[in-house]
Each structure stands twice: as structure tokens, then as C-alpha cells.
Amino acid sequence: MKNNMRKIVTAVLAAGMSAALFTGCGSSGNAAKQDTASTEAGAAETVQNEAPASEASSESTGASSQGNGGSYKVGIVQFMDHASLNQITESAEAELDARAAELGVTFDYKDYFFNGQGDATTLNQIAAELKSDKVDAVIAIATPAAQIVQSAFEGTDTPIIFSAVTDPVGAGLAASMDAPGANITGTSDALNTNAIMNLILAQKPEASKIGLLYSKSEDASKQAIEDAKKFLDEKKIAYVKKSGTTTEEVSSAADALIAEGVDAVFTPTDNTIMNAELAIYEKFIKAGIPHYAGADSFALNGAFLGFGINYKDLGKATADMTADILAGGAKPASTPVQTFDNGIATINTDTAEALGIDLTKTEAAFKPFCSGIVETKTAKSFD
């Protein structure tokens, strides 16, 4: 996405301010009690802005409720630049083009795409600019971006369609999965944590200590980490928690897990860790530790295994919801949040070979816990 940085700079300059305006297989467990015997490290996190879903006012900043001659301005706000989120954006844009041709309308997103690069101040500036531009809808990709956009558009009836939000209710974006309420709905990449835990034990039944690597500032990670702790507690398997908010901190956290002698590392659908994966995967390979994570992009960037949904499908579904709301009369408040079968395991064959893992035996062990297994090799982005 070659114009990402230009759009970021444009947003910052235009704002002209320095102040911050920001299924697979198995069953998912419930939140577990904290284990005081577990170790935890990492810097303090900045709490992301959270705003509850509000009732829409009669005053709109967009034109979608009245129609505008078959042309709609669609803002797209991507939280940061990494393989999974890029894939969602590219798929959503392609589907918006396809639906526009089908419906005989225009979805103008090219002038309203922004990448926040994970920075809260930039994301707030972007949301303010889109509100000023009176866009007809906003697609917000990843939980932090959705929370900031939701807050910026509170009190309006401009539709917000989020994508890749793991826990919309827990993040304060939706009143419920079936009836989100207000002006917001979207698609979820909810993770089946127990399935990944089962994959870890299928590959290494004797595993006695698991590393949990995540960012405490990511709402998408909170429930998954609690689910992992509950699973491991029930199996009487030790775990070590490490976290970070920057690539440097994540790299240090990876070093700490290696020093602890963990048998495997688990990361949920965490944007912060995903952004650092290319910087840490070789550390785990050299230490002989397989990294299991909640998206195929982790495997693409060097992790041994990514487990979850197809993000291309997620982007397509998000665009379809947007088209149905703008041109089809669907109401965000009563449009259920869409979830997906997340039972696909993506194995990095380069990493498997470096770790000395027998793919034939491993894939046979994985089959009872997955709806599908695919293979990839290490690369920076999807083709």
C-alpha cells in the first residue's frame, strides 16, 4: 500500500496540532483467575480510548441517510501496516469496486483511506478529518481504530463498520453481537484459543511450560490470554507471561521467554506482536521454540503456525456490509456482527524445517483439531 505514509503525513499536517485528539476446532474457555505463580513482565501500557455505543442523534455528518445521487464517500481507517490488516484493506477495496459495478453506484474510498501506523494521536486526527469531510460511512480496521472512530463520530448517524475486532462487546463497540446498537456494526476475527492450545499439545504432548506473548494495551488479546491461562491451569501446565508495546520491548520479551525455557509460545490476534514478528521469529527458531499465533500473517512473517480466519474473506464481508448499509438500506444497529469459522492452521514450512519438525507427523496430529491445514513460506506480505 504505497500511499500509506503520504496519507499519514497529510493527516498530520492538515490537523496542524501537537495535542492528542486516538472456528474452527474446540471450544473457547471463560476468563480465568489470575495465577500469582506465573511471571509477568513488560512496560506499562496506554489504555486505548473506549466509548460505549451511543444512540444516534437526528443530526448526521454524512449523507447516507438521505442518499446523494448514487455516490458515497467511504472512509477507511487502518490501525497499522502489517500483512493481515493490509489484506483486509485490499480485499475490502476490491469488493467495494465489485459491488459498485453491481449496484450502479460509486464508492469513493481512494480519497479517504488512511493508515494510522498504530499512533493514537494520528488516528484521532484522521477521524476528525473524516468527520469534517462528511463521509457517508467509515470502515475501521482493528479494535483501536474502531474505538477512536466510534468516539469521534459519537452523536452522529454516520455508519461505522469495523473489521478484525476480536471482542466487539468487551471493547465497548457493540451492545451485543446480534444487535450492536447505535450506528455501528462489523466483522469479528474472534479467536478459538483452546484450539491453538490443543495444537501445541498435539505437536508436543510433553510440553510443560508455555510462553504467552502479547500486548496488554490490545483489547483483542485480553480474553484470549485469560482463556489460555484457564486451559493451561486445567491441564496443570505452567505458563510465563511477557508483553511489550514496541518492537524493541517485544524483542526483549521474546528473549525473556527464551531464557525461561518455554516449550512453545502463544500469541493471540495481537497487532503489536504481529508488527514485531519479523524481528523476533528467528530468535525463537534459534532457541528451538515454535511460535503459535492467532492469524495466518504471523506464519507468513516467520512464526511456526498461524491459526484463524481468512482475512481476505473478512475484508470482503466488511465491504459487503458497508454496501448493504449505504446502498441497500440496512441499519447498523440491527445488523448482527459477523463471525467466521476460524479452524484453518497455516504452517510455515521454512520455520518447521529449521525447527526440525516432521511435517507429515505434525499435520496428521493437527487434523482432529482443525478444519483445514495450509502451508506458507516466510515473506513480508501476501501476494
Side-chain angles (χ1 to χ4, degrees), residues 96-177:
L96 285 174
D97 289 340
R99 291 299 301 274
E102 171 194 326
L103 297 167
V105 300
T106 300
F107 294 123
D108 178 9
Y109 58 81
K110 293 181 180 179
D111 294 327
Y112 306 102
F113 167 78
F114 295 92
N115 188 323
Q117 294 295 344
D119 181 77
T121 300
T122 301
L123 286 163
N124 273 289
Q125 292 168 353
I126 288 167
E129 182 169 328
L130 290 175
K131 186 176 181 180
S132 176
D133 287 338
K134 299 186 184 301
V135 294
D136 296 301
V138 181
I139 294 174
I141 302 173
T143 303
Q147 290 173 323
I148 285 174
V149 170
Q150 180 199 44
S151 180
F153 282 84
E154 185 175 8
T156 78
D157 60 6
T158 303
I160 299 166
I161 304 90
F162 56 74
S163 187
V165 172
T166 302
D167 183 6
V169 176
L173 293 168
S176 74
M177 298 292 278

Side-chain angles (χ1 to χ4, degrees), residues 195-217:
I196 300 183
M197 295 293 108
N198 282 322
L199 292 175
I200 292 173
L201 296 181
Q203 195 275 321
K204 194 168 186 178
E206 71 278 14
S208 61
K209 186 187 292 185
I210 306 300
L212 306 178
L213 178 62
Y214 64 106
S215 170
K216 289 186 289 185
S217 65

Side-chain angles (χ1 to χ4, degrees), residues 327-349:
K331 304 297 183 184
S334 56
T335 300
V337 176
Q338 189 170 346
T339 57
F340 298 78
D341 173 15
N342 65 350
I344 301 172
T346 301
I347 297 174
N348 184 312
T349 55

Side-chain angles (χ1 to χ4, degrees), residues 8-271:
I8 298 164
V9 172
T10 299
V12 174
L13 291 178
M17 63 185 76
S18 60
L21 288 174
F22 190 134
T23 358
C25 321
S27 61
S28 178
N30 296 322
K33 63 182 185 299
Q34 296 291 333
D35 185 340
T36 57
S38 301
T39 59
E40 180 173 5
E45 313 290 339
T46 299
V47 178
Q48 303 292 345
N49 294 342
E50 293 190 14
S54 62
E55 293 298 325
S57 71
S58 59
E59 181 180 356
S60 171
T61 60
S64 59
S65 61
Q66 299 172 339
N68 55 0
S71 180
Y72 302 93
K73 297 187 290 187
V74 181
I76 299 179
V77 183
Q78 183 175 319
F79 175 50
M80 63 168 54
D81 186 36
H82 68 60
S84 284
L85 303 189
N86 292 346
Q87 192 177 30
I88 292 170
T89 296
E90 291 160 5
S91 177
E93 291 175 346
E95 183 66 5
L96 285 174
D97 289 340
R99 291 299 301 274
E102 171 194 326
L103 297 167
V105 300
T106 300
F107 294 123
D108 178 9
Y109 58 81
K110 293 181 180 179
D111 294 327
Y112 306 102
F113 167 78
F114 295 92
N115 188 323
Q117 294 295 344
D119 181 77
T121 300
T122 301
L123 286 163
N124 273 289
Q125 292 168 353
I126 288 167
E129 182 169 328
L130 290 175
K131 186 176 181 180
S132 176
D133 287 338
K134 299 186 184 301
V135 294
D136 296 301
V138 181
I139 294 174
I141 302 173
T143 303
Q147 290 173 323
I148 285 174
V149 170
Q150 180 199 44
S151 180
F153 282 84
E154 185 175 8
T156 78
D157 60 6
T158 303
I160 299 166
I161 304 90
F162 56 74
S163 187
V165 172
T166 302
D167 183 6
V169 176
L173 293 168
S176 74
M177 298 292 278
D178 292 331
N183 61 330
I184 191 165
T185 188
T187 59
S188 174
D189 59 348
L191 181 64
N192 188 332
T193 303
N194 284 13
I196 300 183
M197 295 293 108
N198 282 322
L199 292 175
I200 292 173
L201 296 181
Q203 195 275 321
K204 194 168 186 178
E206 71 278 14
S208 61
K209 186 187 292 185
I210 306 300
L212 306 178
L213 178 62
Y214 64 106
S215 170
K216 289 186 289 185
S217 65
E218 295 256 357
D219 280 333
S221 295
K222 293 176 181 177
Q223 187 61 54
I225 292 299
E226 291 302 315
D227 290 343
K229 287 162 55 182
K230 182 175 186 293
F231 180 97
L232 295 169
D233 283 339
E234 291 175 350
K235 298 286 186 181
K236 300 188 185 307
I237 296 173
Y239 55 85
V240 182
K241 298 190 299 177
K242 301 293 180 183
S243 64
T245 58
T246 66
T247 295
E248 184 178 355
E249 290 177 0
V250 171
S251 184
S252 295
D255 289 336
L257 289 174
I258 292 169
E260 289 277 358
V262 298
D263 296 303
V265 172
F266 164 66
T267 294
T269 51
D270 190 301
N271 291 292

